């Protein structure tokens, strides 16, 4: 009998990587979603400059999660990619467009037409990537049609009314992360604009959170059993999510700067943990657990040694980047 279950260790590492990506790149994508509604071009400059030093580092966690699945749970790729080709393509295309826009928008400073084009690329790429991520999460909740470890469904099975709702929910949630991040990093009329948007976005998230919570047990039998069966302690997590929502509302009313962002991160964290607990240990629902999807123990162990060596450097770089670029960003100042 093994002292350590390598599949569980890998599931925890990948789960941590995905959680870090959602928390850290969420406000990044949220700013892009908010871009068309910004008060003026100076505000857009500030919005982009708040994340310009860290946005590429944030996406390191997406690479970690994706590569981890390929290495430790190859069955995930066997099923997920055929099932989600279009959704994953849209997400990657959106991330590419916004990444290019980060660099080229500042080079088009004197060209009004060029700047409008890159504004569109940044906002459109952010919106598409966020929606695709939400739709992928909704598809995971619904489950996949498989036979002998192979996806046998259709190319558009990922696009249903439920996944459209989860996609829109992620977009609004990321926009909320964006406004609370902007409250922390900006000042003056830009910060006032972010304060003004936060409460309506919070109410929209609350409504969609409620609808998805009612709908989820109807589309997935395992979740229904877990929520209303012997694991009713799971309701602690949505209760903590609601507490964080109240924390955002209270902090905005009190004109706090750090607390709205931290409480919004808490909302995402507890919602994410609720999803994990609801689906554990099903990695490719409804038929395959983390042990069914795992690669050979020798492969998992070899790759684990490398990840455990690299992970502290990634965490250290992330912490250092945010520490160096802490503080307010003002018009006319920025990373570029």
């Amino acid at each position: 009998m093994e002292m350590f279950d390598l599949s569980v260790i890998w599931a925890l590492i990948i789960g941590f990587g995905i959680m870090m990506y959602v928390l850290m790149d969420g406000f990044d994508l949220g700013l892009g979603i908010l871009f068309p509604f910004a008060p003026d071009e100076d505000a857009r400059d500030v919005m982009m400059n708040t994340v310009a030093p860290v946005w590429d580092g944030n996406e390191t966690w997406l690479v970690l999660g994706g590569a981890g699945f390929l290495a430790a749970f190859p069955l995930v790729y066997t099923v997920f990619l055929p099932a989600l080709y279009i959704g994953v393509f849209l997400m990657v295309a959106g991330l590419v467009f916004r990444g290019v826009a980060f660099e080229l928008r500042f080079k088009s400073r004197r060209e009004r037409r060029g700047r409008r084009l890159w504004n569109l690329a940044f906002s459109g790429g952010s919106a598409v990537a966020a929606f695709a991520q939400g739709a992928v999460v909704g598809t995971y909740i619904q489950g996949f049609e498989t036979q002998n470890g192979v996806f046998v469904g259709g190319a558009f099975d990922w696009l249903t009314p439920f996944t459209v709702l989860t996609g829109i929910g992620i977009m609004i949630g990321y926009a909320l992360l964006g406004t609370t991040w902007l409250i922390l990093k900006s000042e003056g009329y830009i910060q006032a604009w972010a304060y003004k948007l936060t409460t309506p976005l919070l109410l929209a998230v609350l409504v969609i959170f409620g609808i998805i919570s009612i709908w989820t047990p109807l589309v997935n039998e395992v979740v229904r059993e877990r929520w209303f069966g012997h694991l009713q302690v799971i309701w602690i997590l949505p209760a903590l999510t609601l507490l964080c929502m109240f924390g955002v509302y209270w902090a905005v009313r009190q004109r706090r700067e750090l607390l709205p962002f931290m409480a919004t991160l808490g909302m995402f964290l507890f919602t994410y943990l609720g999803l994990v607990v609801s689906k554990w240990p099903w990695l490719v629902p409804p038929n395959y657990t983390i042990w069914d999807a795992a690669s050979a123990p020798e492969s998992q162990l070899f790759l684990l040694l490398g990840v455990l060596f690299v992970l502290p450097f990634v965490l250290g770089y992330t912490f250092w980047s945010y520490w160096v670029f802490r503080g307010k960003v003002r018009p006319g100042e920025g990373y570029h």
Side-chain angles (χ1 to χ4, degrees):
M1 182 177 178
E2 294 183 3
M3 184 177 298
F4 301 104
D5 190 324
L6 292 174
S7 295
V8 173
I9 293 173
W10 267 107
L12 293 174
I13 290 173
I14 294 171
F16 175 74
I18 294 173
M19 180 192 72
M20 290 293 289
Y21 172 75
V22 170
L23 296 181
M24 303 186 72
D25 207 38
F27 63 83
D28 191 335
L29 291 165
L31 289 179
I33 294 169
L34 295 168
F35 224 55
F37 311 103
D40 54 33
E41 206 63 29
D42 285 340
R44 294 187 183 94
D45 287 345
V46 169
M47 292 167 72
M48 188 168 272
N49 280 324
T50 64
V51 293
V54 297
W55 73 272
D56 47 355
N58 292 343
E59 293 184 355
T60 302
W61 298 102
L62 181 62
V63 176
L64 175 65
F69 273 129
L70 181 61
F73 303 106
L75 183 63
V76 170
Y77 271 74
T78 304
V79 175
F80 278 33
L81 281 185
L84 301 169
Y85 269 138
I86 298 175
V88 171
F89 170 78
L90 290 174
M91 181 186 74
V92 173
L95 293 175
V96 168
F97 269 94
R98 65 192 298 276
V100 172
F102 260 111
E103 301 302 325
L104 296 184
R105 180 178 179 273
F106 287 96
K107 300 184 188 306
S108 305
R109 192 179 299 273
R110 297 178 182 176
E111 301 175 14
R112 187 172 300 177
R113 183 179 178 184
R115 175 158 279 215
R116 284 201 301 265
L117 174 64
W118 296 119
N119 284 347
L120 179 62
F122 182 63
S123 59
S126 299
V128 169
F131 175 81
Q133 289 176 18
V136 167
V137 171
T139 306
Y140 173 73
I141 294 172
Q142 287 183 159
F144 300 87
E145 189 177 346
T146 59
Q147 188 174 346
N148 298 322
V150 177
F151 177 69
V152 294
F156 289 95
D157 284 5
W158 65 276
L159 193 60
T160 66
F162 181 74
T163 62
V164 168
L165 181 65
T166 56
I168 294 172
I170 288 291
M171 289 176 65
I172 297 174
Y174 282 173
L176 178 63
L177 268 175
T179 59
T180 55
W181 169 257
L182 203 56
I183 287 170
L184 176 63
K185 298 293 288 184
S186 66
E187 57 187 12
Y189 77 99
I190 301 173
Q191 186 186 62
W193 173 72
Y195 273 123
K196 183 179 178 181
L197 282 183
T198 298
T199 300
L201 286 171
L202 179 65
L203 292 175
V205 169
L206 179 61
V207 170
I208 291 183
F209 174 82
I211 296 172
I212 292 175
S213 297
I214 294 170
W215 202 339
T216 296
L218 300 179
V219 300
N220 190 286
E221 185 177 344
V222 171
V223 173
R224 182 167 64 249
E225 168 64 24
R226 191 148 296 182
W227 283 15
F228 301 105
H230 59 284
L231 274 181
Q232 292 184 357
V233 68
I234 198 174
W235 290 97
I236 293 174
L237 293 171
L240 291 172
T241 303
L242 291 173
L243 181 62
C244 288
M245 288 182 174
F246 176 77
V248 175
Y249 175 76
W250 181 85
V252 168
R253 291 289 298 271
Q254 298 295 317
R255 286 300 191 261
R256 300 294 180 91
E257 293 191 340
L258 176 62
L259 187 55
F261 181 63
M262 298 305 296
T264 307
L265 290 179
M267 285 171 44
F268 273 84
L269 174 62
F270 292 124
T271 302
Y272 177 78
L273 291 176
L275 174 62
V276 170
V277 174
S278 297
K279 302 293 286 187
W280 179 268
W282 305 103
L283 192 59
V284 185
N287 299 317
Y288 301 100
T289 66
I290 60 170
W291 299 282
D292 299 324
S295 59
E298 295 81 6
S299 298
Q300 288 186 334
L301 180 59
F302 176 76
L303 294 164
L304 179 63
L305 296 176
V307 168
L308 292 179
F309 175 78
V310 170
L311 197 55
F313 289 97
V314 177
L315 286 168
Y317 164 79
T318 300
F319 173 80
W320 182 249
S321 298
Y322 280 87
W323 176 255
V324 168
F325 294 101
R326 68 193 183 278
K328 299 288 186 180
V329 176
R330 299 173 178 85
E333 300 177 355
Y335 173 64
H336 282 76

